[in-house]
């Protein structure tokens, strides 16, 4: 089976899936094999559920009478099929990457543009070599714009994802100290993320530029077309405003207050607003979209529980995002406790980066600094230090935090959100 012959099935299908448990009538199921399982064994089950077609990489499961087709590599076939579908799309595709804020920015852009257009955007964290093809193949004739998030933890990954997504517009949220181990240090991060710029320049596509970011300006100087924001000389300029613990922006006679906390979200809001204006939305439409967007994904999420303000930011963490979260939380009024967990994938720089973050936290106006993880434990003394979240949970059961504000910030693997029940 080749992608061209299979393409009519993709055009007819209801949705595409790599999880046999989610299959419904009219779906396409891509069966992957792993060390401990072979999804091809679920091919018959998928067709019993009404799957339109199934792709397997075990020849013995092939059955053309049931539309079960064999390919040497399910992944390769899926990626090639996604490229074929992308070649046939006639709608604008917006691609974005960056060290911090890309998921929030993607959701803000989608929320804004959805006020006027039928938008398909990356759901959840499907931003890798599997997720990007799945998202591209999910674009249907009724969609008018696609917003594709692209993640990477090593060089050449963004280059590869661009070959599938083929963005017409591209935005790098920032260059930060994330995945230092895989990228080979901060310079490697810059090179890896800039692969999006390379694709856009080579294909004469539009670059979205934060004019307040010197690296973005440096790497796009002299290039056209761009959509810029941030200064009086940019295409769109905004002023940052705050209301309580929430960040917003103003432009013209319009003021927008989001449900996001942290000055670092100002550029995310600005990028979404710029694209909204670029695609012809009215200021009131943008205001309604941003003010109606409520973060629920453990990213800059503010909640109130038993009179305590909790900032839940536990989906990801690196030195850049951790520093921004601490600086923002330091502006909160009233007593404050920070609970911070290890930052993963920092390689040889891990101890130095954890030491610097711990010193920053201890130098700030916090009543208590609690750390979780062996890297922070090795970095020095805090108010309280625990090796695991389970140990912290046991402590909190007997010793509740009394501060009026609590920040939870850590890499996903720490599972720091598990202590919410005890705060």
């Amino acid at each position: 089976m080749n992608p061209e012959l299979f393409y009519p099935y993709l055009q007819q299908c209801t949705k595409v899936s790599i999880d046999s448990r989610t299959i419904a009538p009219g779906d396409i199921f891509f069966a992957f094999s792993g060390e401990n399982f072979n999804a091809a064994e679920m091919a018959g089950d998928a067709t019993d559920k009404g799957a339109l077609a199934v792709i397997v990489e075990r020849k013995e499961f092939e059955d053309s009478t049931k539309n079960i087709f064999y390919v040497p590599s399910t992944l390769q076939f899926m990626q090639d099929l996604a490229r074929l579908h992308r070649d046939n799309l006639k709608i604008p595709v917006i691609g974005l990457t960056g060290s911090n804020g890309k998921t929030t920015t993607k959701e803000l852009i989608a929320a804004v543009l959805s006020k006027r257009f039928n938008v398909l955007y990356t759901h959840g964290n499907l931003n890798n070599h599997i997720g990007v093809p799945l998202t591209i193949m999910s674009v249907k004739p009724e969609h008018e714009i696609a917003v594709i998030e692209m993640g990477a933890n090593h060089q050449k990954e963004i280059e590869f994802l661009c070959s599938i997504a083929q963005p017409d517009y591209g935005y790098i949220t920032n260059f930060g100290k994330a995945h230092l181990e895989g990228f080979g240090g901060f310079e490697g991060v810059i090179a890896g993320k800039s692969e999006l710029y390379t694709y856009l320049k080579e294909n004469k596509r539009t670059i979205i530029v934060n004019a307040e970011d010197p690296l973005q300006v440096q790497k796009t100087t002299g290039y056209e077309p761009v959509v810029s924001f941030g200064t009086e000389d940019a295409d769109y300029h905004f002023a940052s405003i705050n209301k309580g613990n929430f960040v917003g922006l103003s432009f013209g006679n319009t003021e927008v207050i989001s449900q996001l906390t942290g000055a670092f979200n100002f550029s995310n809001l600005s990028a979404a607003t710029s694209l909204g204006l670029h695609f012809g939305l009215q200021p009131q439409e943008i205001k309604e979209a941003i003010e109606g967007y409520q973060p629920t994904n453990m990213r800059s999420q503010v909640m109130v529980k038993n009179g305590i303000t909790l900032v839940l930011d536990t989906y990801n963490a690196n030195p850049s995002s951790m520093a921004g979260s601490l600086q923002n939380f330091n502006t909160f009024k009233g007593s404050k406790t920070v609970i911070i967990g290890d930052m993963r994938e920092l390689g040889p720089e891990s101890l130095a980066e954890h030491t610097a973050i711990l010193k920053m936290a201890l130098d700030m106006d916090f009543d208590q600094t609690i750390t979780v993880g062996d890297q922070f434990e090795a970095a020095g003394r805090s108010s309280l230090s625990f090796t695991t979240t389970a140990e912290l949970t046991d402590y909190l059961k007997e010793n509740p935090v009394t501060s009026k504000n609590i920040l939870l910030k850590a890499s996903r693997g720490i599972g720091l959100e598990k202590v919410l029940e005890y705060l």
Side-chain angles (χ1 to χ4, degrees):
M1 177 56 65
N2 64 56
E4 290 80 6
L5 289 176
F6 188 81
Y7 191 56
Y9 290 102
L10 181 63
Q11 293 176 303
Q12 299 170 44
C13 80
T14 305
K15 73 174 189 297
V16 293
S17 177
I18 59 173
D19 185 349
S20 63
R21 297 169 298 181
T22 68
I23 296 300
D27 293 351
I28 291 176
F29 174 48
F30 295 92
F32 280 81
S33 298
E35 292 183 4
N36 301 314
F37 70 97
N38 189 336
E41 297 174 359
M42 305 302 295
D45 182 55
T47 56
D48 289 344
K49 292 179 178 178
L52 176 65
V54 178
I55 293 296
V56 297
E57 52 190 8
R58 289 267 296 274
K59 195 167 182 60
E60 64 266 31
F61 289 95
E62 186 174 34
D63 186 344
S64 60
T65 65
K66 295 182 178 180
N67 289 344
I68 301 175
F69 302 106
Y70 163 76
V71 297
S73 167
T74 298
L75 177 60
Q76 181 69 56
F77 182 84
M78 189 173 73
Q79 292 167 344
D80 290 344
L81 185 62
R83 286 192 187 92
L84 176 62
H85 188 49
R86 175 64 184 95
D87 289 341
N88 285 280
L89 296 179
K90 307 300 181 185
I91 64 173
V93 174
I94 302 168
L96 69 155
T97 188
S99 299
N100 305 302
K102 55 184 174 291
T103 297
T104 298
T105 304
K106 168 204 68 184
E107 293 188 351
L108 287 168
I109 292 171
V112 168
L113 295 180
S114 293
K115 282 291 183 179
R116 184 75 64 87
F117 304 99
N118 188 331
V119 179
L120 184 283
Y121 63 98
T122 302
H123 285 280
N125 205 31
L126 293 174
N127 61 9
N128 62 5
H129 62 295
I130 296 174
V132 169
L134 285 172
T135 303
I136 290 293
M137 288 189 294
S138 298
V139 179
K140 299 293 185 183
E142 62 266 24
H143 292 127
E144 298 170 295
I145 293 179
V147 183
I148 309 297
E149 178 184 339
M150 297 180 288
N153 57 20
H154 58 269
Q155 294 188 44
K156 298 300 180 182
E157 192 168 4
I158 294 299
E159 177 185 286
F160 177 76
L161 295 178
C162 282
S163 75
I164 298 173
Q166 302 170 39
D168 300 294
Y169 296 80
Y171 176 55
I172 300 176
T173 58
N174 50 54
F175 302 93
K177 294 181 177 181
H179 305 296
L180 295 178
E181 185 174 22
F183 279 112
F186 184 55
E187 291 302 318
V189 172
I190 296 173
K193 299 299 182 182
S194 294
E195 290 162 14
L196 175 57
Y197 287 154
T198 300
Y199 175 86
L200 296 166
K201 290 177 180 179
E202 289 178 348
N203 293 276
K204 307 300 181 185
R205 308 294 172 84
T206 301
I207 299 177
I208 314 303
V209 179
N210 177 358
E212 300 297 327
D213 185 327
L215 271 173
Q216 292 191 34
V217 172
Q218 174 192 334
K219 289 186 170 295
T220 57
T221 296
Y223 176 79
E224 293 289 344
V226 299
V227 173
S228 61
F229 65 85
T231 69
E232 294 293 330
D233 295 327
D235 296 313
Y236 304 105
H237 51 272
F238 311 99
S240 176
I241 55 177
N242 293 279
K243 183 177 182 181
N245 297 324
F246 299 100
V247 65
L249 77 173
S250 63
F251 57 103
N253 296 319
T254 303
E255 289 192 353
V256 182
I257 300 294
S258 75
Q259 298 183 58
L260 295 163
T261 187
F264 47 84
N265 273 308
F266 173 64
S267 61
N268 301 335
L269 296 169
S270 298
T273 302
S274 297
L275 279 165
L277 294 170
H278 179 77
F279 280 98
L281 273 74
Q282 295 299 312
Q284 184 61 31
E285 293 177 296
I286 296 170
K287 176 182 174 69
E288 290 174 358
I290 290 178
E291 293 188 343
Y293 170 72
Q294 184 172 1
T296 57
N297 49 19
M298 298 184 291
R299 293 178 172 93
S300 302
Q301 187 176 346
V302 179
M303 60 182 69
V304 178
K305 179 182 177 183
N306 300 324
I308 297 173
T309 298
L310 297 165
V311 180
L312 182 61
D313 202 352
T314 60
Y315 196 88
N316 204 356
N318 57 62
S320 302
S321 67
M322 185 72 82
S325 292
L326 290 172
Q327 290 162 353
N328 173 64
F329 191 64
N330 198 39
T331 67
F332 280 39
K333 305 299 183 183
S335 55
K336 299 179 285 285
T337 289
V338 296
I339 304 176
I340 51 178
D342 279 1
M343 303 171 287
R344 301 287 178 84
E345 298 184 57
L346 297 182
E349 300 178 46
S350 183
L351 181 58
E353 295 293 350
H354 281 85
T355 300
I357 289 296
L358 180 58
K359 183 180 186 303
M360 175 184 290
L362 294 175
D363 287 344
M364 289 182 173
D365 185 28
F366 302 137
D367 299 276
Q368 195 174 34
T369 297
I370 300 173
T371 64
V372 180
D374 53 10
Q375 290 297 298
F376 268 126
E377 196 166 43
R381 293 189 60 83
S382 57
S383 304
L384 289 168
S385 181
F386 301 91
T387 304
T388 67
T389 299
E391 291 178 5
L392 171 60
T393 299
D394 290 339
Y395 174 83
L396 292 175
K397 289 177 182 178
E398 304 296 330
N399 303 275
V401 175
T402 58
S403 296
K404 293 298 182 184
N405 302 279
I406 303 173
L407 168 67
L408 298 170
K409 176 72 175 175
S411 284
R412 188 72 189 90
I414 301 299
L416 205 52
E417 70 280 356
K418 295 175 184 176
V419 306
L420 278 176
E421 182 181 349
Y422 306 101
L423 295 175

